[in-house]
């Protein structure tokens, strides 16, 4: 996928494999302080973050359509390339027109695979579903989940996560219903504690342009059973 002529990057983290149709990224959270301290004006947004020629984050576009130009170019804890776009959960201070980035967690931008292309069948090991919503600018379907993980010695097994498209139905009025499933293979990784993950599914991979009446039906196997979220445009 391209945005403003530049690729949006997906990511691979330790303990999780990015499979051909998906990836994973962990989310961190900073403590909030009251008063007039460092975190007093902190905000958090899902963004497309843009790097400059020095591979530093220089600006971002939020899902609400706001452009954030950073007061100072900012180096992330994760590797970035020059003139690229990265999907991220950005924590920042905003005072007037001043934007001070505080931290940024990488967010997955999965490629969506047709169910017919998934070798070995769709694996649906359970996860914990935290939230699912369509961004205000309707560019992404955002999903928050938690995976069970744990230490496994020298064993390099990794979990697999992705998005599968079962079908796209066209109704009599022309509106469309896109049926998606979360692919998750625990792959023998211990389930000792939960680790939060966010995915942003590009709407343009589903529809050339979303219209009123279109919907995404996302099915996720949770520890409490199968859950289907219906998200309308």
């Amino acid at each position: 996928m391209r945005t403003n002529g530049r690729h949006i990057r997906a990511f691979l983290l330790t303990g999780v494999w990015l499979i051909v149709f998906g990836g994973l990224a962990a989310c961190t959270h900073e403590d909030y302080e009251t008063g007039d301290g460092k975190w007093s004006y902190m905000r958090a947004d899902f963004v497309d973050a843009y790097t400059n020629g020095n591979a530093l984050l220089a600006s971002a576009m939020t899902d609400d359509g706001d452009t954030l130009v950073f007061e100072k170019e900012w180096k992330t804890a994760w590797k970035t390339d020059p003139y690229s776009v990265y999907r991220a959960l950005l924590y920042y201070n905003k005072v007037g027109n001043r934007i001070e980035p505080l931290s940024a967690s990488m967010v997955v931008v999965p490629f969506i695979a047709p169910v017919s292309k998934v070798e070995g069948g769709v694996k649906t090991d359970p996860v914990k579903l935290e939230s699912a919503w369509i961004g205000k600018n309707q560019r992404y379907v955002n999903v928050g989940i938690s995976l069970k993980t744990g230490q496994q010695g020298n064993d390099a097994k990794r979990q697999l996560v992705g998005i599968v498209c079962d079908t796209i139905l066209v109704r009599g009025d022309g509106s469309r219903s896109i049926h998606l499933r979360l692919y998750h293979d625990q792959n023998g990784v211990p389930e000792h504690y939960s680790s939060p993950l966010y995915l942003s599914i590009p709407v343009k991979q589903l529809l050339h342009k979303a219209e009123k009446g279109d919907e995404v039906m996302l099915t996720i196997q949770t520890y409490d059973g199968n859950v289907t979220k219906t998200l309308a445009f």
Side-chain angles (χ1 to χ4, degrees):
M1 175 180 178
R2 290 181 179 270
T3 298
N4 292 342
R6 295 184 284 185
H7 287 94
I8 289 185
R9 303 303 180 97
F11 304 93
L12 169 64
L13 295 189
T14 301
V16 182
W17 269 119
L18 169 69
I19 53 183
V20 292
F21 50 95
L24 291 175
C27 166
T28 59
H29 184 274
E30 305 287 358
D31 292 333
Y32 181 84
E33 294 180 3
T34 58
D36 200 27
K38 180 178 180 181
W39 312 109
S40 301
Y41 303 96
M42 188 180 76
R43 300 177 60 169
D45 280 297
F46 283 79
V47 302
D48 290 345
Y50 299 83
T51 59
N52 59 18
N54 297 317
L56 302 175
L57 293 188
S59 63
M61 175 71 73
T62 74
D63 281 4
D64 287 341
D66 296 327
T67 299
L68 308 176
V69 179
F70 301 154
E71 188 176 21
K72 294 181 180 179
E73 300 169 344
W74 191 58
K75 182 176 177 58
T76 66
W78 29 275
K79 183 182 182 299
T80 54
D81 295 325
Y83 300 118
S84 297
V85 188
Y86 292 86
R87 187 68 175 159
L89 173 58
L90 176 69
Y91 292 87
Y92 62 99
N93 281 338
K94 182 176 182 180
V95 182
N97 293 323
R98 293 178 53 221
I99 305 296
E100 177 192 8
L102 301 172
S103 68
S105 301
M106 297 179 293
V107 174
V108 177
V109 183
F111 177 79
I112 304 160
V115 66
S116 61
K117 300 293 185 181
V118 181
E119 295 183 4
V122 179
K123 295 184 181 296
T124 56
D125 290 333
V127 301
K128 182 179 180 181
L129 174 62
E130 303 290 351
S131 55
W133 71 100
I134 296 174
K136 186 176 179 180
N137 60 10
Q138 297 192 345
R139 294 186 58 204
Y140 298 98
V141 175
N142 298 307
V143 184
I145 61 175
S146 291
L147 296 184
K148 292 286 189 179
T149 187
Q151 298 295 326
Q152 49 190 334
N154 294 325
D155 193 344
K157 289 182 179 178
R158 302 186 181 196
Q159 299 184 55
L160 306 175
V161 170
I163 296 292
V164 175
C165 182
D166 285 319
T167 187
I168 298 179
L169 301 177
V170 181
R171 304 187 183 96
D173 62 0
S175 63
R176 295 155 294 186
S177 180
I178 300 96
H179 294 243
L180 305 178
R181 272 188 288 170
L182 180 74
Y183 180 109
H184 175 227
D185 183 359
Q186 188 73 27
N187 198 29
V189 175
E191 301 179 60
H192 296 158
Y193 58 89
S194 295
S195 178
L197 299 163
Y198 286 102
L199 298 88
S200 286
I201 305 168
V203 171
K204 279 191 175 182
Q205 284 192 27
L206 305 170
L207 302 168
H208 176 68
K209 181 181 180 182
E211 304 286 354
K212 187 175 181 180
D214 292 338
E215 67 181 15
V216 169
M217 297 184 68
L218 175 63
T219 299
I220 296 176
Q221 180 67 33
T222 75
Y223 288 93
D224 297 320
N226 228 30
V227 174
T228 297
K229 288 287 186 180
T230 301
L231 307 170
F233 291 93

